[in-house]
Each structure stands twice: as structure tokens, then as C-alpha cells.
Amino acid sequence: MEPYPMKTLRQILDEKGTEVFSVPPDATVLDAIQAMADHDIGALVVLDGEMLVGIITERHYARRVFLKGKSSPKTKVRDIMTTPVVCADPGQSTDQGLALMTEKKIRHLPVIRENRVIGIVSIGDLVKSKISDQRFVIDQLERYISG
């Protein structure tokens, strides 16, 4: 039986979609949180023109704005975003993405090709893919054993 090839981040993006939602660094945190709510997502990349300059997540809002008593309409994204951004290459495997996210303690990983964000994978996307891969392998092993 041949080993099952591990999915790449490109394949994960092909399955989930590559739409990237962004916000400029001078946007207010309220604008960013509203955009996340509108799109039912937990993170936005921060783009200055086409250049990736940061990432903002719901966790940033909770810890760097809400808990500190700051005003969402007055606080700028640039003041709470994470920079530099940990990114991945589309050719990296699911395991490599998970290892990077675990090491850096992040939940959202922008995927970059030629200095351009082509998508974002979340820890949930990668875990879902791993579970699917494992189910496939189990099914193949069961067929092999019973066959």
C-alpha cells in the first residue's frame, strides 16, 4: 500500500477558498471588528497598499483594547496589530503549518506567494484536514485488511 501524500497549504486553500479580507493600518479597531463580524472570520491581514504589514485578530481586540479600557472607535489597527507577521509558503505541508503555528502560538497563518497574500489558513482548517487525512488512511487500511 502506498503512503498517503500529505496535503499542502495550497490544497487547503483550494478547498476552503482564497478570499482574503484585509484592513488598512489606519482603520479603527471598530472597523476591523465589524469587518470580522460581517465576514464571520477571526482575523484580518493588515495591508498598506499591497504590502502585508500586520495581522489583527479577535484576540488582539479582547486583550489589547477591551481589557485595557481603550475605545474601539478611536484606537487604530496599527496600534494593536501583530507585526512582523508569521507567514507560510503554499508548498508547505499541513504538518509544517501546524508545527509553525504551535511554535509561534498563533491561530491564523497567512499564506504568501511572491510577496502577496494568497490566503489564510486557521488552526481549525489544518486540524480538519489532518482528521480527514487520518480517516482516509484508516479506510484504506480497513479495506486492505479485509480485502
Side-chain angles (χ1 to χ4, degrees):
M1 192 163 101
E2 291 183 30
Y4 181 70
M6 184 164 300
K7 282 187 184 166
T8 64
L9 298 182
R10 170 82 255 167
Q11 291 169 308
I12 303 287
L13 290 175
D14 288 344
E15 291 172 7
K16 79 168 260 189
T18 58
E19 190 166 19
V20 176
F21 297 103
S22 66
V23 65
D26 288 327
T28 66
V29 171
L30 180 63
D31 291 336
I33 293 297
Q34 185 63 58
M36 285 186 238
D38 290 346
H39 300 294
D40 194 27
I41 56 175
L44 295 167
V45 292
V46 183
L47 298 178
D48 189 356
E50 297 258 329
M51 184 183 303
L52 177 65
V53 295
I55 190 166
I56 182 171
T57 68
E58 293 167 327
R59 184 176 276 192
H60 289 117
Y61 169 74
R63 294 180 179 183
R64 298 177 186 176
V65 177
F66 183 77
L67 287 178
K68 294 194 175 185
K70 293 182 179 180
S71 168
S72 299
K74 292 182 182 174
T75 303
K76 299 291 184 189
V77 167
R78 74 169 62 256
D79 297 329
I80 68 161
M81 68 185 187
T82 293
T83 189
V85 182
V86 176
C87 299
D89 181 88
Q92 288 181 276
S93 70
T94 303
D95 280 352
Q96 289 171 319
L98 282 168
L100 182 59
M101 293 172 96
T102 301
E103 176 190 337
K104 300 295 184 179
K105 297 180 178 156
I106 59 174
R107 295 170 182 243
H108 300 90
L109 186 61
V111 180
I112 306 291
R113 184 179 64 223
E114 297 173 7
N115 294 321
R116 197 170 146 264
V117 181
I118 62 165
I120 299 175
V121 293
S122 70
I123 192 92
D125 296 330
L126 299 186
V127 168
K128 180 179 167 186
S129 177
K130 285 291 292 180
I131 290 169
S132 174
D133 290 350
Q134 289 173 350
R135 282 191 185 128
F136 177 82
V137 169
I138 289 168
D139 288 346
Q140 294 300 309
L141 288 170
E142 286 175 345
R143 284 190 185 122
Y144 178 75
I145 290 168
S146 64

